[in-house]
């Protein structure tokens, strides 16, 4: 589709003085697109030139339109010497290529120079005329909309979610390419900026093509990243979720509204509450963590060798693991298969353990994948299609399948029930096929599905609904190579169950990219990781991964690739192409579990748990099993039942590492990784308990590599999910109780911990009603009588501490004080200060328990760099420094933003880096939003959220019958009662406790691991027990004892005396008529008053500058987004040779960040927008050389430009019937 | 171990008014932190000294970056670098251009030159205003002076438009510019008791009545330069003193009018000539000599005239001149006495 690009240069202002003699400037402008350049006349002697140029016309291919930015250079005319450049403006044309976005770009842009920063402004007009596309084989993808937002953009309706799209583009980095040539820094910086701009344009175009191929028209959750690999080049990669979006019409919105509010499940819930039964299950360790993977595509047959195969891409493999796991060595001695990643780093202490092998073999035999997912797999032996068609298949008896799975399921070895009818697999058969899981699954499932007839009609068959549901979904999903979704919040009903976090990391050695046009190596690396993620999700009984993201950390030639997401089961209706004609059959597969707790229910079979977890009946619906703790990378579903407020939980960790080069370095890093993951998870878990919460959302773990250390930072938002059992306390146990003072010490620590827990409960208002009748009617077998413990926790903390001390630690969540490390850990646990009064914080979009946001919003970016001058640092010392650094940052935010109190810091996004040997850099972007002090409990459902729901629900055309009115409640209950029989069928073990609901839910905290590594799970277990114990000699014994004593699950059970209040609350709210809520809200004087001030800001007459609000969230409180104008994706480099004069690095970076904000705002304003949502700073690389008085910084930011209007603006409508109606009106207004 | 870099940038620029004032007052970061700690911010917000230091540094940096814009306030409204809500912009500008009365008293009437700037450390020591703050204020004066110097139109209005200042502040600056331009020395010992506001009032009177601008409002410097023609005409007024007949006539008229109305009548009568003499004296430096040197006010003061006496006297003195048949310069007289009267009223206080 060729097009005509037109640009007009209107005027400039505030130009710098370029001619010292006259104190004036003779400015002219060059406008360049592709290879065509136009020039304006020189406007002599003016700092505010008026060019008012003609329209410069470029006739170009749409491919170029997508790739190239419009490049505007402002110069100072010089008769005798070369013209001096004043600065440049790059304008991304992309928003103009989409009919629904902006139609013209017009406004003042800052003129940016990589050395001097912003130097005046220029007023530009840009238009595009596109001709119709006649070429079927086009290379362009104009019209595909891109959104950074990781939810369905408000004001759109999603017809289909197509799935994962990814692409990467590789090039040589001009900085390095030119290093030997004579060049100015400015030239290379500008070349880099331009190149990256080009590359991201190309990337976007290619992704767009993929989306078009899939039949979609938009990419949601578009995440683009740069890897500055140094000499080996520059990689720009992106992932996203392809969707078909329709613009919402106002009419359709309004009718959905009621659904959300009068939610049937919510209404039904109270009945369960009344005679809830308390589960007393003792849950075994259930977070498996640790992942690590040392690279190599080629597997290795001989233990101990570090490199195998040809060193194509410089990947390293660490063979140590094999040596260690003696028994498994044979497994690996198979012909190299490209996608095999070998476990690299099992730490020596664990390795030769007997239990290890026992474990692995047991999981081997019970091969649990099939029963778990209940998929009727027809397993056959297939060559790996995706990976290596050429590779020989593995021997049938390989452990590899089991191994990969065992990561998840190894622990739960107690009961393995295979369900023959459901899973007609014989293990012998399966092994080899499963080796390449993704492949075989895909095809098998297809077969299976077709064999059963179309999923929809199969409902009446004996198989439980659950199975059918799964099949459907799976067929839809498994057709895709990667059933991944970068979304973190979903239309209601989309997410059925969340399994837990899956993640994978891989250490790679960078090597020169020889052929940038064929970036196969990098592709292969990511593919490997994605496969791994996929397999982990499967191991959790999930067919999809949501909240998926990828990242890298590069230090010299070593690169850690990371990917993580949340294993989930999704509602098949949205997966299928053309889901609209699904018709009535749909309802049959409606998951009867209430939406407020349904996503917590375990997705895997409780008899074949992928890891030892402690399951209890859902505290909310009493129908399904839930895990004791749930970790996810997604946002808290708006409909989730939550008790109290959420809080920001962060685990920080530093690990020293010897300086090394190449493979040695990579090996060292990969050896450290699992320990770091383990430690981080332990910290998270401890802190979660300390906050008396039971779930983490928005979990993001970053591991950053430096020359001599690794930094790990895990951030998440802790909440108390009403559906999950109450977490217990933390008990301290001394290893050497002989020492009296020690005992006293332990006692004081214990007391402090208990006090903290009590304080936190109060602070976050976690006060579920105590459950007095413990186990009445509990269908869960072997309820352990631990009522005494329950109570103890609800009573005074003094009593508690006594109890805890006297109590056997087997049942408790015990922290052992066996050495100084442990002591440090506990101290660090307690150093986290709670936010000051009036502040809350979270890293998710939604903060449970806070409603009525005002429109006061302050987005900020803060960067700190800390120099470690102390040479002899220990890990503990480092940890302390790092922790303090993060805590201090938070404290200073609270202080700075105190004028917004009461206020919540949302979407706290921490990024750590080790820019130099002794530097730690922490960058934070977040938004502070103030809320109304009067948080009426009557309406704990945020208006905004309600709206979000109702919109999205409508978008998905949720069946009305289920949620329209109270009658649906009855319907549902009857369903419940009706189904139990089928449940008993499906679960042959005869656990009467298992309710009919379709999908078991649960969560798991699950971090990826190695495919082939059967014993990894064991390893994890060990690690949970205590890395500290390594020193001890007897590993086996250690493993066992630790497994017993360190038991998160049991801990949780121990002190669950609390019931959830929130559910009740939620009901009241939801029952309350929507109308009243909405009208009340809109009439409430305070928000209105505040928003008025916002309006006045926006309409500030005296200034020509539009106020542009920015937020990392997908919405702005108090406003509605009425139009998305396009994606903002900008990359800037700034360099200075006068660092001191600019106020040192702080001054330099301060002004640079301010400049970046200014440029983002200017571009948004030029598109006609007044806000940026989903803003994020992806990259902030600062390099300094104070001796030379120089510094350089690169920043990459992105977001969605939008137009939003105040909610109050719709008050024109005299009849405020429903919230959504007003929405609709607004949308209409803009349409 | 040290924090190498520490920045915080808000989309909306965050500015604490208290810190801004400390910055304007020329406090160093450390001193500002001390002041803030004493102010009790820490207790309010559960913060530590480090936090306070970091916040103060950050704000100082922000202000420094903003300072360039504050030099031409009109830019602040349409620059893109900082997103500052309009009401905040107003506060920023107003505060930036606000000056210390003590400081301005020292500088008023001096030439705004480099030499004066060099002596600011003395001024700083004398007034207890930090040198940094003195320099900022001095530069503000100079900047305003330079910009306004070459502009046509009313002085106050020009200042208000170019520097977006409040009316009050714009008037004060007009006074400063006026004094600096005419170099009326205000540092004389006898004038020490006068505040800047007294002078500002007088300057306002002069600007409104005696400058070129009072006659023609489209001339450069119209409000800064006194109306030369008027000054020439003033010489004609000397006749009131030099002409013995007129003087006597005038005196008797005034005395008749005042007799019995004021306690200070006798002293006044005795000193009439002396007082009046000063009018004609060196007419070009009216203020400096008539008002400033205190030839008029000083004697009255020593005679303990009340303000009411003064008013009464001046009113009659002015009015009586109209009755004199031989006195032909009524218009000039009014223009002259109107200003003198109001200035004296203003300055005649304790």
């Amino acid at each position: 589709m060729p097009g005509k690009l037109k640009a007009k240069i209107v005027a400039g202002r505030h130009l710098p003085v370029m001619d010292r003699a006259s104190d004036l400037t003779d400015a002219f402008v060059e406008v360049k697109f592709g290879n065509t350049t136009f020039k304006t006349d020189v406007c002599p002697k003016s700092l505010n030139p008026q060019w008012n140029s003609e329209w410069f016309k470029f006739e170009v291919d749409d491919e170029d339109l997508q790739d190239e930015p419009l490049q505007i250079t402002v110069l100072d005319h010089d008769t005798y010497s070369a013209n001096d450049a004043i600065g440049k403006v790059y304008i991304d044309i992309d928003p103009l290529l989409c009919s629904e976005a902006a139609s013209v770009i017009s406004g003042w842009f800052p003129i940016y120079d990589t050395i001097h920063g912003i130097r005046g402004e220029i007023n530009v007009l840009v238009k595009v005329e596109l001709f119709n596309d006649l070429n079927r084989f086009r290379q362009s993808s104009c019209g595909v909309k891109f959104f950074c937002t990781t939810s369905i953009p408000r004001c759109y309706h999603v017809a289909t979610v197509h799935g994962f799209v990814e692409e990467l583009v590789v090039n040589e980095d001009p900085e390095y390419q030119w290093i030997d040539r004579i060049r100015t820094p400015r030239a290379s910086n500008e070349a880099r900026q331009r190149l990256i701009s080009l590359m991201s344009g190309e990337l976007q175009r290619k992704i767009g093509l993929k989306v078009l191929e899939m039949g979609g028209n938009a990419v949601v959750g578009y995440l683009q990243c740069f890897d500055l690999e140094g000499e080996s080049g520059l990689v720009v990669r992106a992932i996203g979720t392809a969707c078909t979006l329709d613009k919402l019409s106002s009419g359709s919105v309004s009718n959905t509204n009621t659904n959300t509010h009068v939610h049937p499940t919510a209404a039904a819930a109270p009945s369960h509450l009344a005679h809830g039964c308390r589960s007393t299950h003792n849950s075994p360790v259930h977070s498996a963590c640790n992942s690590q993977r040392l690279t190599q595509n080629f597997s290795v047959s001989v233990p101990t060798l570090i490199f195998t195969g040809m060193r194509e891409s410089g990947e390293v493999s660490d063979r140590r693991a094999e040596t260690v796991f003696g028994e498994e060595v044979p497994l690996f001695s198979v012909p190299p298969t490209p996608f095999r990643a070998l476990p690299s780093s099992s730490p020596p202490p664990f390795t030769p353990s007997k239990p290890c092998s026992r474990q692995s073999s047991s999981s081997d035999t019970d091969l649990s994948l099939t029963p778990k997912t209940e998929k009727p797999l027809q397993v056959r032996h297939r060559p790996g299609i995706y990976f290596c068609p050429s590779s020989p298949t593995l021997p049938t008896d390989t452990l590899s399948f089991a191994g990969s799975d065992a990561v998840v399921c190894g622990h739960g070895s107690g009961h393995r029930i295979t369900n023959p009818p459901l899973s007609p697999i014989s293990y012998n058969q399966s092994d080899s096929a499963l080796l390449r899981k993704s492949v075989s699954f895909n095809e098998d499932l297809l077969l299976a599905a077709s064999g059963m007839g179309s999923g929809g009609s199969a409902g009446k068959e004996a198989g439980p609904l659950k199975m059918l549901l799964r099949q459907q979904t799976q067929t839809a999903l498994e057709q895709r190579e990667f059933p991944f979704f970068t979304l973190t919040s979903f239309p209601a009903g989309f997410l059925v169950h969340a399994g837990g976090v899956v993640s994978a990391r891989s250490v790679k050695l960078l090597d020169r990219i020889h052929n940038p046009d064929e970036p196969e190596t990098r592709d292969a690396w990511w593919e490997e990781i994605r496969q791994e993620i996929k397999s982990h999700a499967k191991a959790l009984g999930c067919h999809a991964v949501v909240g998926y993201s990828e990242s890298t950390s590069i230090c010299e030639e070593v690169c850690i690739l990371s990917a993580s997401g949340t294993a989930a089961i999704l509602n098949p209706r949205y997966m299928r192409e053309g889901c609209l004609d699904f018709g009535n059959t749909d309802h049959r597969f409606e998951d009867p579990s209430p939406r407020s707790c349904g996503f917590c229910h375990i997705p895997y079979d409780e008899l074949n748990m992928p890891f030892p977890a402690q399951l209890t009946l859902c505290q909310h619906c009493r129908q399904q099993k839930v895990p004791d703790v749930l970790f996810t990378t997604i946002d808290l579903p708006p409909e989730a039942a939550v008790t109290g407020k959420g809080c920001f939980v962060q685990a920080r960790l530093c690990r020293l590492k010897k300086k090394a080069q190449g493979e040695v370095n990579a090996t060292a890093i990969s050896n450290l990784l699992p320990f770091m993951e383990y430690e981080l998870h332990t910290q998270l878990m401890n802190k979660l308990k300390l906050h008396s919460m039971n779930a983490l959302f928005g979990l993001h773990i970053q591991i950053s590599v430096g020359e001599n250390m690794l930094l790990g930072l895990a951030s998440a938002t802790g909440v108390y999910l009403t559906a999950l059992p109450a977490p217990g306390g933390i008990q301290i146990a001394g290893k050497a109780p002989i020492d009296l003072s020690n005992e006293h010490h332990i006692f004081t620590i214990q007391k402090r911990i208990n006090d903290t827990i009590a304080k936190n409960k109060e602070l976050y208002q976690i006060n579920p009603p105590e459950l007095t009748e413990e186990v009445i009617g509990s269908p869960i077998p072997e309820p352990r009588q631990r009522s005494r413990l329950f109570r103890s926790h609800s009573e005074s903390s003094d009593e508690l501490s006594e109890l805890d001390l006297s109590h056997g630690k087997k049942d408790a969540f015990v922290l052992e004080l066996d050495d100084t490390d442990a002591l440090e850990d506990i101290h660090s646990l307690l150093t986290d200060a709670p936010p000051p009064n009036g502040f809350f914080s979270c890293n998710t979009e939604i903060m449970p328990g806070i409603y009525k946001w005002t429109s006061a919003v302050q987005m900020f970016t803060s960067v700190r760099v800390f120099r470690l001058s102390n040479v002899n640092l220990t890990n503990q010392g480092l940890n302390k420094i790092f922790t303090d650094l993060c805590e201090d940052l938070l404290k200073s935010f609270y202080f700075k933003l105190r004028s917004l109190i009461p206020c919540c810091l949302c979407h706290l996004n921490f990024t750590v880096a080790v820019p130099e040997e002794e530097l730690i850099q922490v960058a934070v972007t977040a938004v502070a939003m103030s809320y109304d002090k009067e948080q009426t409990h009557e309406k704990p459902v945020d208006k905004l959220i309600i709206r979000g729901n109702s919109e999205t629900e409508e978008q998905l055309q949720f069946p009305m019958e289920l949620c329209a009115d109270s009658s649906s409640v009855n319907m549902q209950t009857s369903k419940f009662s009706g189904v139990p029989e089928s449940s008993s069928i499906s679960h042959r073990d005869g656990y009467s406790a298992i309710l009919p609901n379709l999908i078991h839910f649960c969560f798991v905290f699950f971090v990826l691991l190695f495919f082939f590594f059967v014993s990894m799970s064991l390893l994890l277990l060990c690690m949970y027990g205590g890395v500290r114990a390594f020193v001890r000699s007897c590993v086996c014994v250690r493993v066992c004892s630790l497994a017993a004593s360190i038991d998160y699950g049991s801990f949780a059970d121990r002190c669950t005396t609390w019931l959830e209040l929130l559910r009740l609350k939620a009901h009241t709210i939801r029952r309350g008529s929507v109308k009243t809520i909405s009208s009340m809200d809109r009439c409430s004087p305070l928000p209105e008053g505040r928003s008025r001030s916002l309006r006045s800001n926006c309409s500030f007459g005296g200034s020509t500058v539009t106020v542009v609000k920015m937020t990392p969230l997908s919405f702005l409180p108090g406003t509605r987004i009425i139009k998305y104008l396009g994606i903002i994706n900008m990359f800037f480099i700034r360099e200075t040779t006068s660092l001191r004069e600019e106020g040192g690095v702080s001054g330099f970076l301060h002004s640079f960040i301010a400049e970046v904000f200014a440029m983002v705002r200017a571009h948004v304003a030029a598109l006609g927008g007044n806000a940026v949502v989903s803003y994020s700073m992806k990259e902030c690389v600062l390099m300094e050389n104070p001796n030379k008085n120089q510094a350089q910084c690169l920043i990459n930011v992105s977001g969605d430009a939008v137009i939003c209007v105040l909610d109050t603006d719709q008050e024109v409508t005299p009849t405020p019937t429903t919230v959504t109606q007003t929405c609709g009106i607004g949308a209409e207004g803009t349409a | 171990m040290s924090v190498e870099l520490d920045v915080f940038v808000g989309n909306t620029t965050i500015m604490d008014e208290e810190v801004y004032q400390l910055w304007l007052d020329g406090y160093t970061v450390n001193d500002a932190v001390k002041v803030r700690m004493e102010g009790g911010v820490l207790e309010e917000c559960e913060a530590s000294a480090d936090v306070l230091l970091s916040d103060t540094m950050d704000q100082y940096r922000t202000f420094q970056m903003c300072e360039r814009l504050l030099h031409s306030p009109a830019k602040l409204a349409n620059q893109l670098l900082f997103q500052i809500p309009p009401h905040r912009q107003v506060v920023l500008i107003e505060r930036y251009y606000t000056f210390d009365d003590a400081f301005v008293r020292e500088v008023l009437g001096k030439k705004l030159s480099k030499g004066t700037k060099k002596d600011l450390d003395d001024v700083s020591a004398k007034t207890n205003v930090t040198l940094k703050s003195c320099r900022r204020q001095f530069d503000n004066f100079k900047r305003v002076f330079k910009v306004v110097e070459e502009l046509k139109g009313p002085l106050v209005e020009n200042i208000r438009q170019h520097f977006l200042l409040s009316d009050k502040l714009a008037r004060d600056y007009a006074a400063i510019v006026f004094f600096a331009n005419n170099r009326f020395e205000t540092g004389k010992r006898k004038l020490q008791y006068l505040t800047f506001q007294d002078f500002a009032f007088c300057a306002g009177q002069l600007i409104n009545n005696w400058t070129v601008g009072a006659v023609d409002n489209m001339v450069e410097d119209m409000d800064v330069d006194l109306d030369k023609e008027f000054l020439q005409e003033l010489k004609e007024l000397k006749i009131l003193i030099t002409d013995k007949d007129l003087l006597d006539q005038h005196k008797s008229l005034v005395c008749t009018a005042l007799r019995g109305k004021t306690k200070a009548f006798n002293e006044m009568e005795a000193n009439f000539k002396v007082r009046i003499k000063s009018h004609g004296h060196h007419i070009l430096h009216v203020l400096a000599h008539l008002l400033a040197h205190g030839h008029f006010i000083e004697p009255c003061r020593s005679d303990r005239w009340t303000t009411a006496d003064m008013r009464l006297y001046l009113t009659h003195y002015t009015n009586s001149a109209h009755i004199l048949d031989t006195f032909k310069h009524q218009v000039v007289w009014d223009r002259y006495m109107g200003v003198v009267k109001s200035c004296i009223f203003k300055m005649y206080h304790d």
Side-chain angles (χ1 to χ4, degrees), chain A residues 605-854:
Chain A
D605 188 333
E606 71 176 299
L607 304 177
N608 279 307
M609 288 194 296
F611 45 81
Q614 184 177 17
L615 303 183
T616 54
L617 266 193
C618 175
Q619 310 284 299
H620 193 265
C621 67
R622 303 272 163 210
Q623 304 285 332
Q624 299 267 315
K625 292 283 178 67
V626 294
D628 50 352
V629 182
L630 179 64
F631 285 14
T632 71
T633 58
I634 56 172
D635 270 326
L636 182 67
E639 65 271 16
V642 174
T643 302
K645 295 188 164 64
C647 78
F648 184 64
V649 175
Q650 197 169 50
R652 302 117 180 171
L653 190 69
C654 271
R655 279 288 170 267
L656 287 168
K657 160 185 98 61
K658 285 214 177 75
K659 269 196 235 176
Q661 296 293 313
E663 301 98 63
V664 184
N665 195 19
T667 309
I669 292 169
S670 48
N671 284 348
L672 273 172
L673 282 180
F675 295 95
M676 295 195 63
E677 297 249 17
Y678 161 72
E679 285 270 343
L680 286 170
H681 292 143
T682 313
Q683 262 190 49
L684 280 177
M685 193 65 91
N686 289 344
K687 287 185 178 174
L688 192 63
K689 303 270 180 213
L690 205 61
H691 284 101
S692 198
M693 293 175 181
N694 56 19
L696 287 180
F697 287 88
L699 177 65
H700 178 74
I701 300 181
Q702 196 197 354
I703 295 214
S704 203
V705 58
E707 259 178 78
N708 60 344
M709 64 177 136
L710 285 172
L711 288 183
L713 189 65
S715 315
T717 301
V719 294
Y720 185 106
L721 282 180
T722 316
L724 266 47
I730 296 172
Q731 181 182 321
I732 306 292
K735 261 296 165 190
I738 317 115
D739 189 353
L740 253 182
S741 67
N742 192 24
E743 200 158 321
H744 176 72
H745 184 62
I746 290 172
F747 188 82
T748 37
I749 295 181
Q750 180 71 55
K751 182 141 172 30
R752 276 178 65 199
I753 289 183
N754 293 338
D755 289 350
T756 315
I757 292 179
K759 237 191 285 165
N760 281 331
K761 277 181 178 170
E762 198 178 316
L763 178 60
Y764 299 108
Q765 296 161 11
I766 298 171
N767 42 6
E770 266 186 53
L771 191 66
T772 39
E773 344 142 52
E774 303 272 295
V775 201
I776 298 177
S778 165
I780 298 185
E782 339 162 28
R784 287 189 224 163
Q785 294 305 324
R786 277 190 286 126
S787 49
R788 198 168 67 101
L789 276 173
F790 287 138
R791 293 235 171 78
S792 73
H793 257 270
S794 58
E795 284 154 23
S796 87
S797 55
D798 283 345
E799 201 187 316
L800 174 75
S801 54
E802 282 167 26
L803 257 172
D804 279 348
L805 284 174
S806 61
H807 200 83
K809 62 186 179 197
K810 277 210 169 172
D811 284 343
F813 176 67
V814 182
L815 289 179
E816 284 179 11
L817 274 186
D818 50 358
D819 58 16
T820 44
D821 284 17
L823 209 60
E824 291 285 339
D825 289 351
I826 288 166
H827 277 304
S828 71
L829 199 60
L830 292 166
T831 49
D832 287 10
N837 269 343
F839 271 108
F840 287 97
S841 49
C842 65
N843 74 338
T844 48
E845 298 229 326
I846 293 162
M847 177 65 172
I850 294 181
Y851 322 101
K852 288 216 239 168
W853 299 102
T854 67

Side-chain angles (χ1 to χ4, degrees), chain A residues 914-935:
Chain A
V914 190
E916 269 173 53
E917 199 172 319
E918 284 171 341
L919 297 182
I920 298 179
Q921 176 185 318
V922 181
V924 186
T925 299
V927 63
M929 303 202 293
S930 71
Y931 55 86
D932 198 339
K933 229 177 248 162
E934 308 296 316
Q935 297 277 318

Side-chain angles (χ1 to χ4, degrees), chain B residues 310-321:
Chain B
M310 177 64 82
R311 283 179 183 279
L312 204 59
Y313 167 74
L314 282 177
T315 315
H316 287 290
Y317 180 75
T318 313
N319 295 342
S320 309

Side-chain angles (χ1 to χ4, degrees), chain A residues 155 247-250 253 1120 1122 1222-1231:
Chain A
C155 82
K247 195 126 171 93
L248 270 190
S249 65
S250 54
V253 186
R1120 277 175 314 103
I1122 55 169
T1222 48
C1223 280
I1225 287 158
E1228 199 173 35
T1230 54

